[in-house]
Amino acid sequence: MEACFANAANSAITSPANVFAYLIQTLLTAQYNLSDGIYPPDRSEEVATSNGEFDFVIVGGGSAGSVLANRLTEIENWKVLLIEAGENPSILSEVPTAFHSQLHSSEDYSYDVEPEKFACHGNKNKLCKWSKGKALGGSSTLNAMLYVYGSDKDYNEWSQMGNKGWSYDEVLPYFKKSQSCGHGHSDEWRSKYCGNGGPLSIRYYNYSETKIHETVLQAAREMGVPILDTINGDKFVGYGIAQGTLDKGHRVSASKAYLSPIKYRNNLYVMKSTRADAILLDNTRAVGVRMTLKDGRSIDVKASKEVILSAGSIASPQLLMLSGIGPKKHLREIGIPTIVNLPVGKNLQDHVTWYGLHLTFKNQTATPPSPTFMLDAAYDYLIHNRGPLASGSFDLMGFINVHDPSAKYPDIQFINGHIPQWHISIATNLFDAHNVDTEIVQKITEILTQADMLNFFTILLKPKSVGEIRLRSRNPTDPVRIYANYFSEQEDLDTMLKSLDFLKKMLNTETFKRHEFRLHHIDIPDCRHIKSDSDEYWRCNLRHMSSTIFHPVGTTKMGPQDDPTAVVDPHLKVHGVQRLRVIDASIMPTITGGNTNAPTIMIAEKGADLIKEDWAKTSCEREMSLNT
């Protein structure tokens, strides 16, 4: 137990966690059963010394890789290796409200984005930072846990682009396959949109701020905005409360859902703290992976059937390009011989967010937090799995079409976050996690000395602007160059600014007037010369107070053989390379209209079935040829 406490302390010190996060982590460590021994053991040394061959080598143990490792090892005679650069998720990752404390920690790659012309100017050094999980479970260990499909139009669009098998009706069964849904909805909805036998728990948060939720929902009703019984259904415009990947007040990461139940499967080999450096190729056939172990040793492992990249929208294209699969011109610049010329790293899409819209209201019942607030919250969470630490701080969301209120599909997503008066540490933790400049954070927190704050985090759902991932060098330890290109298309900027019109209409509802809501104009140093509430001010506000919601996709685009912009085919096989697939969010041709973790898990569920079908067909053909 003493060692257990020591590990918790070391983790807290190396993360940006404050006293609050350290307190919770220490108390959770006292319940040591939360994470100790629930994940598969590290078999790195066994693999390194055996010189064995595997049927499948999966690079990346995140949301997609965890699913694939589970589903492929269902075939008992398939030997599967899963390579993960991180370790087991920390104990702190269990706590829903603590996810911001994990950002920029040892569990986060925390990439720097190249300077943006139209966004992120209010961040430290005027740079966006992209978080990505570095642990078993990947980003599902440090995301906001929100579980959102998107709309049927998202997937039907994929299908219309030539991706047979990827329409909404064809992918919905794979969403359901992953799920174990909670109660609270009609049997009709559950049978159509939610699964019951899967490993991934989908629940409402154990603690939700019902008063502020109901106030916003009532204002939406006044405006004629539909109220959604569920976020994932047949209605896509409206306001509602989202579910998350949760169970009994705890996070359910992909690793906990998919790897923990199979941790002792004999045909599953997991290597942790192991970096993949290159795909081993025999001409244009993938035969294995070169990797570096924690102690610096470099080893090669062979794959008799397939190599599968599930390292995400940043690392999967990086590994392809390091291996000579990518844009010929760019690879030549880096000094890498081109094996297959493909548009790897192109088509980068992300959900840019505007965090500069803050409403304030006077909460007549507000009281300063008690000196024992943190201890009380910790007790409530540890004993009853409820309270502020189990909070769905961002589970109230709206999907709105700001150009056409009668449209079936949204173009803007609002995620509402309530910060009570005097709870300055919550705001500081939140905006520090998004790399916001210290002076601007101070201006935001000053609001909380006078009133409660309701944030409208505004997300552009279907951006026209496209970015790119490029290599920095031939060295696999060098981070890639990320060009997000937010608002490079004028239409994106116009749509984001128009979301302000919706908010101002909500301010004019009787509900918001009764609670004396008002729109606060943040004192941004570079915008002080501009008249408040002018169009110019809000453009300046958006340019400074915009960042990412951590949803990069599209960098190994899925498309048919005749699509010159595609990297993988509809079976997720890399064009021009045998026995190599990419199965993660990077294959999305276009970004989905909502949070991207649920679609990523769906992609992996479907990808696993595609692999099984392809190899069953191969086996059948081989057997037929032997019998003729």
Side-chain angles (χ1 to χ4, degrees), residues 114-134:
E114 297 298 307
E116 288 286 306
K117 185 176 181 180
F118 303 111
C120 307
H121 292 191
N123 284 11
K124 294 170 185 172
N125 300 316
K126 296 188 176 182
L127 295 177
C128 277
K129 289 188 82 71
W130 281 9
S131 287
K132 172 191 163 188
K134 188 179 182 181

Side-chain angles (χ1 to χ4, degrees), residues 31-94:
Q31 295 188 340
Y32 201 49
N33 63 324
L34 279 177
S35 70
D36 185 44
I38 71 170
Y39 298 104
D42 186 353
R43 302 178 72 174
S44 297
E45 192 60 32
E46 181 183 350
V47 173
T49 56
S50 67
N51 295 317
E53 185 175 76
F54 299 87
D55 293 285
F56 296 91
V57 176
I58 304 167
V59 178
S63 293
S66 296
V67 175
L68 289 165
N70 180 301
R71 297 307 188 189
L72 296 184
T73 54
E74 289 174 343
I75 309 298
E76 293 182 2
N77 63 343
W78 280 357
K79 192 176 175 183
V80 178
L81 174 63
L82 178 66
I83 303 167
E84 168 55 41
E87 287 283 346
N88 293 341
S90 70
I91 293 174
L92 189 62
S93 72
E94 294 278 337

Side-chain angles (χ1 to χ4, degrees), residues 413-535:
Q413 177 185 10
F414 290 115
I415 296 182
N416 293 119
H418 172 221
I419 304 178
Q421 186 177 353
W422 295 297
H423 286 255
I424 291 172
S425 63
I426 295 176
T428 301
N429 197 23
L430 169 63
F431 292 106
D432 280 349
H434 285 270
N435 202 43
V436 180
D437 181 79
T438 303
E439 186 174 355
I440 294 178
V441 174
Q442 183 180 350
K443 295 298 181 183
I444 295 172
T445 56
E446 285 173 2
I447 302 169
L448 292 168
T449 63
Q450 304 295 324
D452 279 33
M453 181 189 298
L454 180 63
N455 299 304
F456 275 71
F457 295 102
T458 309
I459 298 158
L460 183 68
L461 287 177
K462 305 297 285 185
K464 300 294 188 297
S465 303
V466 175
E468 184 178 355
I469 299 288
R470 297 179 194 165
L471 293 178
R472 191 177 300 272
S473 75
R474 300 174 61 176
N475 188 339
T477 66
D478 281 347
V480 296
R481 296 189 186 276
I482 301 171
Y483 299 88
N485 292 346
Y486 298 131
F487 305 127
S488 57
E489 295 290 335
Q490 183 66 36
E491 184 179 340
D492 290 348
L493 192 67
D494 293 343
T495 298
M496 201 66 132
L497 287 167
K498 198 167 179 60
S499 66
L500 182 60
D501 295 341
F502 176 90
L503 185 55
K504 288 182 175 180
K505 289 177 182 177
M506 186 171 272
L507 280 167
N508 282 323
T509 62
E510 290 303 317
T511 300
F512 271 25
K513 285 180 180 178
R514 186 166 61 253
H515 291 280
E516 300 181 15
F517 279 87
R518 72 181 185 91
L519 180 60
H520 197 91
H521 297 79
I522 302 297
D523 180 13
I524 303 168
D526 290 348
C527 304
R528 284 174 182 160
H529 64 288
I530 305 172
K531 181 181 177 182
S532 293
D533 207 30
S534 64
D535 288 346

Side-chain angles (χ1 to χ4, degrees), residues 19 81 85 124 297-298 303 307 399 406 428 522 595 623:
V19 174
L81 174 63
K124 294 170 185 172
R297 282 178 293 167
S298 178
V307 173
F399 291 89
S406 64
T428 301
I522 302 297
N595 304 67
E623 186 174 331

